[in-house]
Amino acid sequence: MNTGELTDLGQQLRVDSVRAAAAAGSGHPTSSMSAADLMAVLLAHHLRYDFDRPGHPANDRFVLSKGHASPLMYAAYKAAGAIDDEELLTFRKHGSRLEGHPTPRQLPWIETATGSLGQGLPVGVGIALAGKRLDHADYRVWVLCGDSELAEGSVWEAAEHAAYEHLDNLTAIVDVNRLGQRGPTRHGHDLDAYARRFQAFGWHTVEIDGHDVDAVDRAYGEAASTKGQPTAILARTLKGRGVEAVEDREGLHGKPLPDAEEAIAELGGPRDLRVRVHQPPDARALHSVPTGQFAPPRWDKGEDVATRNAFGEALAALGSARADVVALDGEVGDSTRAEQFAKEHPERYFECYIAEQQMVAAAVGMAARGWIPYAATFAAFLTRAHDFVRMASISGASLNLVGSHAGVAIGQDGPSQMGLEDLAMMRAVHGSTVLYPCDANQTARLVAAMAGLDGIRYLRTSRGAGPVIYGPDEEFPVGGSKVLRASDRDRLTLVAAGVTVPEALAAADALAEQGIAARVIDLYSVKPVDRGTLRRAAEETGCLVTVEDHHPEGGLGDAVLDAFTDGRPVPRLVRLAVRTMPGSASPEEQLHAAGIDAESIAAAGRLLVEEAIVP
C-alpha cells in the first residue's frame, strides 16, 4: 500500500472501532482511534501471518497489551478477512467471540488474554524467548502498549529481562496518546521521558509521530533490522484522533462516541478495504513431541527426603523423557531444587531472577508456543504474581507452578518467607489443580502427572526432610487421596496433607494407645478433592479433624467442607490451622506453637470424640 492507502486503512480502522462500540453501547473507541495508524501499517506492511493457519510455526506474534483497545484489533481482523462486518458488530454481546477485552478462548489469533494492564509486554518477552532459545525461529513479536500502563512495575521487569536476553525479535509499540482513564498520564507527550527509561534498560528506541504512516513504516523497518537489542517505538498520538469533538479531550475514556454517525461521516464514512497480510515463510515444526518414557526417581520407605528435593529430581527426569518441558526459576533454584533441571537441560532452563511477575508471564508466553513450563519459587513469593496467574487462567493457559518453603514448617526464617496463603490463592483460580504431596515418591509421580493436565496446576513442596511413606510404584491419581489408617472401629478421621501427614499418623498412634481408633487420610489432591473418600469417612466415623500448615481461610479445611456442599450433612468437624502470626523458631517448635503437631492433633481428636459421646 502507498501512503494514501495506508492513511485510508487507518481511517477504516477508526470507523470500524467507532461502529463496533456504538453497536455495543460500550467500549473504548477513542483508545482504538489513537493507535489506528500504527495498526494499519503493521497489518499491511510488516506482520507476517497466515490467518488460516494461526498455529503456523513462522507466524509473527501480536499482543495487544492495551486490551481495552480491542475494537481496533477486531477491526484489523475484519480488514484481513478473518471476520466479517456482521460479526464485528456483535462486539461485547452475549455469545460473541469478540469480548470487551480479548482472550484466546474463542479467537485463535490471540496469544494471551489482556486487559489487566502491564501484562502484554511481559508475556511478549516469554514468546520472544521461546522464539530465540527454544523454537530457533525468526518470527517477530509485536506488542502494542498504552502509555498509561508504563507506570506498572511489571513492564520494567519485562524491559530489563528482554534487554538482558538480547531479544531483538521483540518490538514494543507504545501508543503515547497522553490521556489515561481519569486524565493525563504521568509523562503526557514527553517521548524523551519514555525513551530515557527504555534506553536505561538497554533498548533501542525510535520516537515518531504515530499518525505519520511513512514514519511508522520506517520505524517498523528499523526495529526489524536492529540486532542485539529489543526496540521500543514511542509514537506520539492523539486519543480520539480524527473526530474534533473527542480528539485529545478528557473524560471520554471507555465510552462510545456521543454521536457515532456524525463521527463516522467526519472520518470519511465506512470503507471496505481488504489487506493481503504477508504470508510467513515456510518453516519446520517448532519442537519435538515427547521423546521417551518417564523414569521417576525412586526412594525406599523410611528414608528422609524433602519434597522439594524430590521435585527437582523428578523434573530433571521428566525433562529427559519430554523434550517439550521447560523450567523457569526466580533466582532460588538452589532452594526450590529446580537447578537440577538446569544441570541436565540447560538449554531449556530460564533464570528469571527475582522478578516473579516476569517469571510467570514468560511461562505463559512459552505455553502459548506449545511448551510445557514449570515455574518455581518460594510459595510466599508467588503472591506477587497472582494477577498473572489469574490472567493466565482467563487465557486458558496450561501452566505448572511450584511453591516451595511453604508453611511454618520452614522454621527460623520467619513469617515473611512462609507461604501460608498459597493454597487459598491457587484454589480460587478458575479451573486450577492444587496438589500437596507428603513424601518423595508421591511428589515425583505428581510432578509427572501435572504435565498432562489442563489449566493452572500448583504443586506445594516443603523445605525440610520428611519420611518416605509410600513405595516407589504407588499411584496417585489427581483428584484422589490415600487412606493410610482405617478400621471398622474408627471413631474419628484425621485429614492431613504435606508436612501434617506424618504428624497425623503419630497422633493416630497416640490416640490408639488411649483406646481411640482414628482413620488417617492423606488428602494430597486439595483441588479437585476426593469427595467420595471424605463422605465415607464422615458416614463411618462421624467426626473429622483437618490439619494444615496454612491459614484456616481457603486451605485444606475449606477443601474438605466442599465435599459436603450438596446438602449432605456436615460431620462434627475441628479445623486445625495456623491462626496466629508466627515468629522465628525451629520447625518442631513452629508446628507445636501453631497447634498442628501430633500432640495438638491427638488432643483435638480426643476432645472431639469425648464431646460426641456426651448425651
Side-chain angles (χ1 to χ4, degrees):
M1 285 186 167
N2 60 32
T3 300
E5 291 169 329
L6 288 173
T7 300
D8 210 28
L9 177 59
Q11 291 293 79
Q12 174 175 305
L13 298 181
R14 290 188 177 90
V15 167
D16 283 343
S17 296
V18 171
R19 293 174 63 234
S26 64
H28 297 75
T30 58
S31 299
S32 301
M33 294 161 75
S34 62
D37 299 312
L38 300 171
M39 180 67 87
V41 177
L42 180 65
L43 190 68
H45 281 189
H46 295 272
L47 189 71
R48 301 169 300 172
Y49 199 89
D50 185 343
F51 279 89
D52 292 327
R53 292 181 60 196
H56 193 299
N59 275 343
D60 283 353
R61 300 292 151 182
F62 175 78
V63 176
L64 181 67
S65 190
K66 50 178 285 179
H68 54 286
S70 58
L72 175 62
M73 175 182 279
Y74 302 144
Y77 289 165
K78 176 194 165 187
I83 65 172
D84 59 22
D85 193 65
E86 181 180 1
E87 183 170 18
L88 176 71
L89 298 182
T90 68
F91 174 56
R92 284 185 169 228
K93 294 179 180 176
H94 180 69
S96 173
R97 298 192 299 171
L98 311 186
E99 298 175 83
H101 292 76
T103 77
R105 293 178 297 172
Q106 299 182 73
L107 291 174
W109 316 294
I110 294 175
E111 302 297 323
T112 184
T114 55
S116 182
L117 292 176
Q119 296 209 15
L121 189 59
V123 173
V125 168
I127 299 172
L129 275 169
K132 277 280 187 181
R133 290 183 48 185
L134 297 171
D135 299 335
H136 304 292
D138 66 352
Y139 59 76
R140 296 197 61 78
V141 182
W142 307 87
V143 181
L144 178 57
C145 301
D147 49 348
S148 285
E149 67 181 307
L150 298 193
E152 289 280 5
S154 57
V155 169
W156 303 107
E157 285 187 18
E160 183 163 26
H161 201 73
Y164 175 79
E165 293 281 359
H166 304 288
L167 298 182
D168 52 14
N169 58 340
L170 174 67
T171 300
I173 308 161
V174 184
D175 177 25
V176 186
N177 65 24
R178 188 186 74 84
L179 292 174
Q181 177 167 327
R182 60 95 194 99
T185 58
R186 177 177 291 162
H187 299 294
H189 274 139
D190 186 354
L191 299 187
D192 287 345
Y194 294 116
R196 289 193 300 271
R197 284 157 176 76
F198 275 103
Q199 290 165 4
F201 282 106
W203 285 55
H204 176 65
T205 62
V206 185
E207 300 175 42
I208 59 170
D209 176 350
H211 301 308
D212 180 340
V213 293
D214 292 326
V216 173
D217 198 19
R218 290 191 298 271
Y220 289 162
E222 185 174 335
S225 62
T226 298
K227 301 303 179 184
Q229 292 176 287
T231 297
I233 296 172
L234 304 165
R236 185 187 188 280
T237 64
L238 297 176
K239 204 166 184 175
R241 168 73 171 186
V243 177
E244 184 178 1
V246 299
E247 183 174 290
D248 199 30
R249 295 180 184 270
E250 297 181 25
L252 294 167
H253 182 89
K255 300 175 183 177
L257 268 58
D259 189 333
E261 290 187 8
E262 182 177 317
I264 291 168
E266 188 174 348
L267 291 167
R271 298 162 174 79
D272 194 23
L273 297 174
R274 286 290 180 265
V275 178
R276 181 171 295 179
V277 178
H278 292 302
Q279 291 293 293
D282 293 335
R284 60 175 176 79
L286 290 182
H287 53 81
S288 60
V289 296
T291 55
Q293 290 292 110
F294 172 61
R298 300 165 70 89
W299 294 271
D300 294 329
K301 288 185 179 181
E303 289 188 67
D304 279 333
V305 183
T307 56
R308 60 170 173 154
N309 291 355
F311 158 69
E313 291 190 40
L315 185 62
L318 184 64
S320 297
R322 298 194 59 139
D324 52 357
V325 168
V326 300
L328 306 91
D329 204 86
E331 203 193 300
V332 287
D334 56 338
S335 291
T336 64
R337 303 302 195 243
E339 68 177 6
Q340 296 185 50
F341 186 97
K343 292 173 182 176
E344 296 192 27
H345 313 288
E347 74 286 356
R348 286 183 275 142
Y349 181 79
F350 295 84
E351 178 55 75
C352 297
Y353 300 94
I354 303 175
E356 292 84 7
Q357 295 178 106
Q358 180 56 56
M359 179 186 72
V360 174
V364 172
M366 292 173 190
R369 303 304 312 126
W371 298 89
I372 300 177
Y374 285 74
T377 186
F378 287 13
F381 304 157
L382 281 170
T383 58
R384 185 170 294 173
H386 184 253
D387 189 36
F388 283 79
V389 178
R390 180 183 71 89
M391 289 298 293
S393 172
I394 293 172
S395 291
S398 290
L399 194 64
N400 300 295
L401 302 172
V402 181
S404 72
H405 291 62
V408 300
I410 71 169
Q412 290 89 341
D413 277 347
S416 70
Q417 311 299 295
M418 297 172 176
L420 288 165
E421 310 85 5
D422 55 317
L423 296 180
M425 180 175 75
M426 295 302 180
R427 285 184 66 240
V429 173
H430 175 75
S432 62
T433 299
V434 180
L435 306 170
Y436 186 15
C438 70
D439 88 340
N441 287 319
Q442 190 178 68
T443 302
R445 293 287 181 173
L446 292 176
V447 166
M450 290 168 74
L453 301 176
D454 294 324
I456 306 301
R457 294 90 81 169
Y458 177 62
L459 183 80
R460 191 187 215 218
T461 64
S462 302
R463 178 185 192 179
V468 175
I469 296 171
Y470 300 104
D473 296 318
E474 191 89 22
E475 297 291 335
F476 303 95
V478 173
S481 65
K482 290 292 181 180
V483 180
L484 293 170
R485 300 278 177 82
S487 75
D488 56 9
R489 298 176 293 101
D490 292 339
R491 299 169 65 186
L492 80 156
T493 300
L494 308 178
V495 185
V499 297
T500 61
V501 171
E503 301 295 328
L505 289 170
D509 290 340
L511 288 167
E513 292 177 359
Q514 300 168 32
I516 301 174
R519 186 169 302 186
V520 178
I521 296 176
D522 170 13
L523 201 67
Y524 62 83
S525 182
V526 182
K527 181 185 177 184
V529 73
D530 186 351
R531 298 185 175 202
T533 297
L534 291 169
R535 288 169 176 173
R536 282 192 299 275
E539 292 169 1
E540 294 172 5
T541 71
C543 300
L544 269 61
V545 175
T546 65
V547 54
E548 57 189 305
D549 193 359
H550 186 273
H551 288 318
E553 297 85 4
L556 188 74
D558 281 353
V560 169
L561 282 174
D562 279 352
F564 303 95
T565 55
D566 59 352
R568 292 173 182 261
V570 178
R572 296 178 64 85
L573 177 64
V574 170
R575 299 169 58 184
L576 303 181
V578 181
R579 298 178 183 273
T580 60
M581 183 59 68
S584 291
S586 71
E588 295 77 16
E589 291 169 329
Q590 296 278 20
L591 294 175
H592 184 70
I596 57 174
D597 63 344
E599 180 183 342
S600 303
I601 299 167
R606 182 173 58 252
L607 181 61
L608 184 61
V609 170
E610 290 172 353
E611 290 176 346
I613 62 177
V614 172

